[in-house]
Amino acid sequence: MALRKMLQMKSSITPYPGETVIRRAVARDAKRLTRLVRGSRAYEGHYAAMVADYRVGSDYIETHRVFAAVDTGDSAGRVLGFYSLVLEPPELDLLFVEDGTQGRGVGRLLVEHMKSEARAAGLDRVRVVSHPPAEGFYRSVGALPTGTARANPPAVAWDRPELEFLIP
């Protein structure tokens, strides 16, 4: 079983220019993904409470389609970003890019990969409830506004833009 999983992971690695690959996340990535979420500058100030105790667990990684963008030039395989696609109901649940890597196309690569995964799963649209500062990014990669997800204190104390990707 372990060998079969390794072969599946290896076959799901998609190379991109610039020594970055998108691969299926595995349980041992949980701590790195959690650090990426908690350390995101996008969640500083009044947004900090939302991610302060957030944890990407190995169970979450095994349950959902979680993919990581990895720097192959780094011997430790530094995670540059990741996303999580939930199939039922279809939603881009998480998408984070390391602060120092933003603006270099990693987020766009992750979104394109997500669209490909969604298409392969037979989805025709994927919902995104965006962190307010990320709305511009999602629109720039093709997400269309659909409304507003209202605040739900204490978990989320602010309204959030709701968008969707149409999957042709």
Side-chain angles (χ1 to χ4, degrees):
M1 181 72 160
L3 178 59
R4 188 169 69 179
K5 262 193 164 180
M6 285 175 43
L7 290 173
Q8 287 171 339
M9 284 178 4
K10 190 171 185 129
S11 67
S12 71
I13 295 175
T14 306
Y16 288 102
E19 300 184 325
T20 299
V21 297
I22 308 291
R23 65 159 173 80
R24 188 80 186 241
V26 293
R28 71 176 176 273
D29 291 322
K31 287 182 181 177
R32 289 195 278 184
L33 302 185
T34 297
R35 278 194 304 270
L36 205 153
V37 170
R38 289 182 182 175
S40 174
R41 283 194 319 250
Y43 286 88
E44 291 179 332
H46 71 283
Y47 295 123
M50 180 150 180
V51 297
D53 295 323
Y54 197 88
R55 182 179 150 288
V56 180
S58 58
D59 54 335
Y60 182 88
I61 292 170
E62 292 168 3
T63 303
H64 302 293
R65 295 184 183 208
V66 181
F67 288 86
V70 179
D71 179 355
T72 61
D74 181 303
S75 62
R78 187 179 91 193
V79 174
L80 305 173
F82 77 99
Y83 77 87
S84 170
L85 176 63
V86 175
L87 297 181
E88 190 56 43
E91 183 171 356
L92 177 60
D93 188 37
L94 300 169
L95 189 147
F96 282 83
V97 174
E98 181 184 64
D99 289 337
T101 305
Q102 291 178 6
R104 297 183 185 171
V106 173
R108 289 182 184 281
L109 292 174
L110 288 167
V111 167
E112 287 306 312
H113 191 273
M114 179 277 300
K115 289 178 183 177
S116 176
E117 284 293 309
R119 191 174 305 107
L123 303 176
D124 65 351
R125 62 191 65 233
V126 175
R127 175 180 183 242
V128 180
V129 177
S130 177
H131 179 48
E135 180 181 11
F137 166 74
Y138 286 118
R139 285 180 177 225
S140 78
V141 292
L144 303 171
T146 59
T148 301
R150 297 289 171 211
N152 184 19
V156 181
W158 54 88
D159 292 346
R160 294 156 294 148
E162 190 171 346
L163 308 103
E164 73 179 0
F165 288 101
L166 300 178
I167 308 298

